[in-house]
Amino acid sequence: MMTRLYVSAAVLALGAQGALAQDLKFPIGEGAFNWDSYKAFDEATNLEGQTLTIFGPWRGEDQVLVEVMLAYFTAASGVKVNYSSSENYEQQIVIDAQAGSPPDIAILPQPGLIADLVKRGFVTPLGEDTQKWLAENYAAGDSWVGLGSYAGPDGTKALYAFPYKIDVKSLVWYSPENFEDAGYEVPQTMEELKALTEQIVADGGTPWCIGLGSGGATGWPATDWVEDLMLRTQPADVYDRWTTNELAFNSPEVVGAIEDFGWFAKNDAFVAGGAAAVASTDFRDSPKGLFNSPPQCYLHHQASFIPSFFPEGTVVGQDADFFYFPAYAGKDLGKPVLGAGTLAFITQDTPAARAFIEWLKTPIAHEVWMAQKSFLTPLKTVNADLYGDPTMKKMGDILLNATTFRFDGSDLMPGSVGAGSFWTGMVDFVGGKSAQEVADAIQASWPK
């Protein structure tokens, strides 16, 4: 069904509450979008009158953003989309699947939960063609195939979930003005980052602001450090074995990564407030030391969301910026990236559901969200200049240059570990216990 080049009168049915009439945000055929991919999908897809139910994690402002993307899917395919979410979406999708009334498409940020749904027979395999497409079209493609692949009810592993909308965690934040005043340059390797850390101390400054405080979740920021350092000290397959406990938590490889974190966090000279302040400093307050005059610290390791807690009026790209948390030059492990994201999967195998997965392969399905905000993609064929702001483009470049991508390890572990003993163990570690003691305790807590 060939749509109009200008769809100012396009009418979409979106959202659980019924029809929502709206124009397409970016007129088809205008701008630097990959309209050829839209046109090809449009010409190949005629599902006029069919309905697709999608259940996902996006609410509020994010729901508005995803519905812009869904509007183009409807315009090209003819499929009426009903998108809904829930505050307790993780529990709701399980309830709906067990009741035999799941949506056609579900989108979740928890690979472990998806793996459980797959094992119980609630999810449809996406097929070898989609697996091959991911491997060839996503940067670090094999990583994404691995992330979306799970063991089915018969134990056979296959691709079940399509990664879409990614978050990056392997970032170090800093003040460009402070760096310029001190004559520091952005480090390109872990060796250079450690040398910079020591140089800042030699110059009379404090290198790092680190805060693990987060109420009942205190300790979680340290898990990101350890995961990042696992990927920089060990091959990716070792990381994978660690997250499933095939490699014990108290193995030398893991203990070494924890000790590497300790190199930064347990040195009084390296951390604002000294090592004793690490566990008690709230993660939301921690980066504010970057903006003190004189600087309380020069460096802060945290994911892409942290600017939300910068002082009001801070402009990212001017007052604050970031660089890739670098890999060791001497270990030859490429450019690993730690992150998170959402994965789409079929829970009702319909032509519209299959068409939606094909839609996610088109550059336009990524570009119309990229051009707004809060969206990153590893798809190599998008026009990266379409990112809505230079910060997102720079993060997108990190994804596109990654040689390996791995999902947040604590989110892949059983909840009692990844959101329990791993958190508390990191607090014990910065509090004085050895890496081996902490790793032994976490291993002992792993569900038998």
Side-chain angles (χ1 to χ4, degrees):
M1 109 187 198
M2 197 51 193
T3 51
R4 301 172 293 285
L5 282 185
Y6 299 95
V7 279
S8 59
V11 176
L12 285 305
L14 292 171
Q17 303 305 315
L20 169 66
Q22 70 174 56
D23 295 344
L24 295 189
K25 188 175 183 69
F26 309 104
I28 295 171
E30 294 186 4
F33 298 88
N34 190 325
W35 293 120
D36 286 346
S37 70
Y38 176 89
K39 181 179 178 181
F41 182 86
D42 185 340
E43 292 176 341
T45 312
N46 187 357
L47 298 174
E48 192 77 46
Q50 296 196 26
T51 299
L52 180 71
T53 56
I54 299 178
F55 184 77
W58 301 303
R59 302 184 300 281
E61 185 179 21
D62 281 341
Q63 180 166 341
V64 174
L65 295 172
V66 71
E67 287 180 344
V68 170
M69 180 275 287
L70 293 174
Y72 289 86
F73 171 70
T74 293
S77 67
V79 175
K80 173 185 174 182
V81 179
N82 291 314
Y83 173 85
S84 63
S85 186
S86 165
E87 186 173 346
N88 301 307
Y89 60 86
E90 303 98 326
Q91 292 81 16
Q92 191 62 50
I93 187 62
V94 175
I95 292 169
D96 291 346
Q98 290 174 334
S101 56
D104 301 319
I105 293 282
I107 304 174
L108 292 176
Q110 290 97 350
L113 177 53
I114 300 172
D116 183 60
L117 293 169
V118 168
K119 187 176 182 180
R120 297 169 67 181
F122 294 136
V123 186
T124 301
L126 298 182
E128 291 185 4
D129 286 348
T130 297
Q131 178 174 321
K132 182 180 179 183
W133 184 93
L134 271 179
E136 293 177 351
N137 289 277
Y138 270 24
D142 289 343
S143 295
W144 299 104
V145 170
L147 180 61
S149 297
Y150 312 96
D154 64 354
T156 302
K157 200 166 188 179
L159 182 72
Y160 282 88
F162 191 102
Y164 177 79
K165 191 181 186 297
I166 310 305
D167 297 307
V168 171
K169 294 194 169 193
S170 299
L171 304 175
V172 178
W173 296 84
Y174 72 106
S175 163
E177 182 179 353
N178 291 344
F179 262 46
E180 184 178 353
D181 289 346
Y184 301 144
E185 295 184 358
V186 170
Q188 302 300 311
T189 66
M190 184 61 69
E191 290 90 342
E192 290 181 2
L193 180 60
K194 287 188 169 183
L196 175 61
T197 297
E198 293 171 332
Q199 182 63 49
I200 292 171
V201 173
D203 292 342
T206 302
W208 293 90
C209 280
I210 303 175
L212 308 187
S214 186
T218 292
W220 72 259
T223 68
D224 286 356
W225 272 91
V226 173
E227 290 153 7
D228 250 334
L229 290 166
M230 275 292 290
L231 289 172
R232 283 152 181 76
T233 56
Q234 304 296 327
D237 65 310
V238 174
Y239 181 94
D240 297 337
R241 290 165 50 219
W242 169 53
T243 62
T244 61
N245 207 224
E246 183 183 345
L247 176 74
F249 212 107
N250 55 353
S251 297
E253 296 90 337
V254 185
V255 172
I258 297 173
E259 289 174 339
D260 217 7
F261 167 56
W263 186 91
F264 294 94
K266 296 181 77 167
N267 186 322
D268 286 335
F270 287 178
V271 188
V278 170
S280 60
T281 301
D282 192 285
F283 83 93
R284 288 156 285 213
D285 295 328
S286 181
K288 293 174 182 175
L290 295 171
F291 308 102
N292 288 0
S293 182
Q296 187 182 2
C297 60
Y298 285 82
L299 301 159
H300 183 71
H301 174 274
Q302 191 50 273
S304 54
F305 70 84
I306 199 61
S308 300
F309 302 104
F310 288 170
E312 187 175 351
T314 301
V315 177
V316 175
Q318 297 178 25
D319 308 312
D321 207 344
F322 61 89
F323 58 84
Y324 167 69
F325 188 56
Y328 281 99
K331 294 187 181 292
D332 195 27
L333 293 173
K335 287 191 171 183
V337 171
L338 178 73
T342 52
L343 298 101
F345 52 101
I346 297 174
T347 38
Q348 293 271 26
D349 193 3
T350 68
R354 290 282 177 179
F356 183 72
I357 297 299
E358 292 302 310
W359 168 252
L360 295 183
K361 297 177 185 178
T362 66
I364 199 70
H366 300 245
E367 290 173 347
V368 293
W369 198 337
M370 285 168 54
Q372 299 177 89
K373 60 179 179 178
S374 304
F375 185 90
L376 294 174
T377 180
L379 180 58
K380 294 185 287 188
T381 53
V382 296
N383 179 359
D385 291 334
L386 288 169
Y387 272 111
D389 68 73
T391 299
M392 298 306 292
K393 182 180 186 300
K394 189 174 175 182
M395 292 180 189
D397 288 343
I398 290 175
L399 268 184
L400 290 176
N401 288 315
T403 56
T404 300
F405 181 92
R406 284 298 184 269
F407 208 89
D408 181 285
S410 60
D411 286 343
L412 300 175
M413 297 173 185
S416 60
V417 177
S421 58
F422 195 0
W423 291 353
T424 57
M426 291 300 95
V427 174
D428 292 340
F429 176 62
V430 298
K433 287 191 176 181
S434 71
Q436 189 66 58
E437 286 178 295
V438 166
D440 287 343
I442 297 172
Q443 178 58 32
S445 76
W446 200 284
K448 302 294 186 288

